[in-house]
Amino acid sequence: MAVMIPTKSNRFAKGSLEDIMFASLERLPDDYYVFHSMRITTVKSDMIMENEIDFVVFNRFLGIMCIECKAGNVRYENGMWLYGNGIRMNNGGPYNQADANKWKLMDMIAGSHLGKLIERIRFFHAVWFPSVTKSDLLKMPLPPEGDPELALCMDDLENPLPSMERIFGLRVN
């Protein structure tokens, strides 16, 4: 069983399914550490910048993965990501949000006393669509950054390990 930090899922928006993904990630082997709702706060030019990463998964042999979760009937239409209710997503959509959070986490680690480790750790980002099957995702029109290889889906809720290992197995620049 993975080490979960915190040990119980944080508060989450109803319908986000973060509790279900939390329980799924909890079933990973014990060499995985999973941080739920990790916050990164920085101050730049007298302005507080806050970011929240839905899940950060760490494995000392494989690296760190930042996962952005989007539940419901999400879709990409007319050059924008939409929630099931038709409201436009902020942050350029889930793939861009996950990627940006990965870089923010890398910057935070690089600027800390652990900065020397940054070149020894492989960093990844992924998106989890817990309401969408893999076959439906493959049928969706996706933007250039929306590679299905960087996604977990409804199919992964029972056992996320194969998809996690697939993503961790990708080569990184």
Side-chain angles (χ1 to χ4, degrees):
M1 182 182 273
V3 177
M4 304 301 287
I5 303 167
T7 56
K8 303 250 186 252
S9 69
N10 284 326
R11 291 180 178 210
F12 49 88
K14 203 167 189 130
S16 72
L17 304 182
E18 285 190 32
D19 56 336
I20 293 170
M21 291 176 280
F22 185 96
S24 179
L25 291 168
E26 196 171 27
R27 291 190 289 270
L28 291 171
D30 62 3
D31 58 344
Y32 283 82
Y33 292 77
V34 179
F35 300 83
H36 179 230
S37 193
M38 182 176 173
R39 299 203 181 277
I40 297 176
T41 304
T42 55
V43 177
K44 283 188 180 177
S45 303
D46 296 328
M47 180 177 270
I48 296 172
M49 310 289 277
E50 295 179 306
N51 294 88
E52 184 251 354
I53 306 172
D54 292 333
F55 291 99
V56 176
V57 179
F58 169 73
N59 179 290
R60 64 180 267 200
F61 303 107
L62 303 173
I64 295 174
M65 185 184 307
C66 297
I67 303 174
E68 179 61 30
C69 304
K70 296 295 182 199
N73 186 25
V74 299
R75 62 196 182 280
Y76 183 76
E77 285 180 2
N78 302 318
M80 62 186 130
W81 280 96
L82 304 171
Y83 291 103
N85 59 7
I87 294 175
R88 184 180 183 172
M89 290 184 196
N90 294 327
N91 304 316
Y95 286 94
N96 285 329
Q97 188 175 356
D99 183 50
N101 283 334
K102 172 188 70 181
W103 287 102
K104 288 172 187 152
L105 181 60
M106 290 172 70
D107 288 345
M108 184 185 81
I109 293 170
S112 76
H113 68 283
L114 301 173
K116 291 183 179 182
L117 295 176
I118 199 76
E119 293 187 22
R120 295 176 52 200
I121 302 171
R122 294 172 359 124
F123 286 84
F124 301 85
H125 68 278
V127 176
W128 198 337
F129 299 110
S131 307
V132 178
T133 65
K134 187 65 134 183
S135 63
D136 285 343
L137 179 66
L138 293 172
K139 294 174 194 169
M140 278 186 199
L142 294 172
E145 75 277 1
D147 194 316
E149 288 298 311
L150 296 175
L152 290 96
C153 295
M154 180 190 298
D155 317 66
D156 297 301
L157 289 171
E158 188 62 37
N159 181 11
L161 186 60
S163 289
M164 301 289 293
E165 288 178 336
R166 181 192 75 242
I167 295 168
F168 274 127
L170 298 171
R171 290 180 303 194
V172 179
N173 293 1

